[in-house]
Structure formats: C-alpha cells, structure tokens
Amino acid sequence: MQFSTGESFTVYGSGLIGRNPRSEPGEYFDQLVRVLDPSRSVSKVHLQFGQEAGRFWIMDRFSGNGTIVREPESEPVRCQPEKRFRLARGTRVDIGEQFFIVS
C-alpha cells in the first residue's frame, strides 16, 4: 500500500489501519498500520484488512468520515461498515482526507 502521506507498507495477514489503531479485546491482527493525519480526518481505527483466497480486502470499521473505493475505470463506491470489499491492484482507497493505493 502506498499512502498519500508518502509512507508505504507491505501488508501480510490481517490488520487495522487508522490514526491510532488498536484491536478490541479478543481480536488479533498481524499488523497495525498507523496513518499520520494532523487534520484527524482518519478515524483512530478506520478500517480492517486481510487476504482471502489470494485477494486483498478491506472493511470499514464504522469510521467517522467513511471509506471510498475507487477502482480504475469504475465509479467510486462508499464502503458499508462491516462489509468486506475485495480490491484489485491499482485501486485507490480514500480514508478521510488521506488515501492509499493498492500496489
């Protein structure tokens, strides 16, 4: 993932993305990806990610500003909380005023 902040992360397993991502009691994640966002438009725990059958997916965790998926040559789609969205390479994901691209 390549973030608008200039940071990039190689993801593996499952994880959370946000300003200050933390798991809930009883949850376990392989990665916690912290997004620098001085404007605080990204929620503390904005979304969850994982991989299933070789495909990368995300799921909004009831974030304040929502999550928008922008696949190449497709209309933007607002993610519904607690629903997984599979992403192809090259997809842009808007989280608040920040975004990342699945590379």
Side-chain angles (χ1 to χ4, degrees):
M1 294 186 295
Q2 182 70 41
F3 281 84
S4 54
T5 59
E7 298 171 290
S8 62
F9 295 91
T10 300
V11 296
Y12 55 89
S14 63
L16 298 173
I17 297 174
R19 275 191 352 264
N20 190 18
R22 294 176 191 246
S23 58
E24 294 292 325
E27 291 182 321
Y28 172 79
F29 295 100
D30 299 305
Q31 289 181 286
L32 299 176
V33 178
R34 189 173 188 173
V35 178
L36 301 175
D37 181 37
S39 68
R40 304 180 81 170
S41 65
V42 175
S43 295
K44 288 181 181 177
V45 180
H46 202 98
L47 60 83
Q48 181 177 339
F49 66 84
Q51 297 177 51
E52 181 178 3
R55 297 280 314 263
F56 182 70
W57 59 263
I58 61 167
M59 182 172 65
D60 188 273
R61 298 262 299 211
F62 295 97
S63 63
N65 288 319
T67 301
I68 308 257
V69 172
R70 299 176 188 274
E71 291 185 314
E73 301 181 30
S74 297
E75 291 294 315
V77 175
R78 180 174 285 277
C79 294
Q80 299 299 316
E82 298 293 312
K83 181 180 176 188
R84 289 183 179 182
F85 284 83
R86 291 187 184 143
L87 304 178
R89 291 184 188 275
T91 299
R92 174 178 158 153
V93 179
D94 295 344
I95 52 174
E97 294 174 7
Q98 305 298 329
F99 68 87
F100 65 88
I101 296 176
V102 179
S103 53

